Amino acid sequence: MSTHTQLTRADGARAELASTGQNTSAGKPVSGPRAVAEPAVEIFEDAGGITLLADMPGVPREALDVRLDGETLVIEGEAAVSAPDGMRPLWAEVSVPRFRRAFTLSRELDMGRIEAGMKDGVLTLRIPKQAHAQPRRIAVSTG
């Protein structure tokens, strides 16, 4: 399953969002590529750049992969679903412990200065705008 959505900001500029996911069959793993779920994402913009918050519950930092592939930002992670010693899970709310989401980034963003942090299952990415894309005040002289 593949989705492709185009977002439009209030100023008319477009931001492209591309996500890829695969379904499971009755909670059973599918053969071939591993099944993935799309994490819920919120994106905020201010004068200096954008902040992206992705829900990645149960994904430890070591199992998180955030990378740039050209102009595509890829977020992947695998939740650490474990049972106590001597027990086996009978029911799990997380049927697909692998997350994946991809975004096409605007050239206005400074891809070399992306900052990432993870806290309480939420991945926070700060992507600043290029200097030429940030608003600036112009001094006006008199006389």
Side-chain angles (χ1 to χ4, degrees):
M1 173 176 169
S2 176
T3 60
H4 184 77
T5 307
Q6 196 165 54
L7 304 176
T8 303
R9 296 190 320 224
D11 62 358
R14 290 184 172 168
E16 226 174 56
L17 162 69
S19 302
T20 304
Q22 304 236 345
N23 291 328
T24 59
S25 175
K28 298 176 186 171
V30 292
S31 60
R34 294 182 61 191
V36 296
E38 293 182 335
V41 172
E42 286 115 25
I43 302 172
F44 304 94
E45 182 179 14
D46 61 25
I50 63 170
T51 300
L52 183 143
L53 304 174
D55 292 337
M56 306 284 283
V59 177
R61 191 173 57 91
E62 301 79 34
L64 184 63
D65 181 22
V66 180
R67 67 184 183 280
L68 280 172
D69 185 8
E71 293 177 352
T72 303
L73 173 69
V74 179
I75 301 168
E76 290 183 304
E78 187 150 355
V81 180
S82 61
D85 289 337
M87 300 182 120
R88 63 181 176 85
L90 295 175
W91 179 260
E93 293 292 327
V94 180
S95 60
V96 182
R98 184 154 186 77
F99 295 97
R100 184 179 193 284
R101 194 99 183 236
F103 301 92
T104 301
L105 300 179
S106 164
R107 291 178 188 223
E108 291 181 356
L109 299 172
D110 189 345
M111 296 177 218
R113 295 191 309 137
I114 298 175
E115 296 175 1
M118 182 81 153
K119 183 178 180 185
D120 298 330
V122 177
L123 172 67
T124 302
L125 295 172
R126 177 66 182 165
I127 310 170
K129 289 182 182 177
Q130 298 272 5
H132 72 272
Q134 292 187 19
R136 60 185 174 99
R137 183 169 294 281
I138 299 171
V140 178
S141 62
T142 58

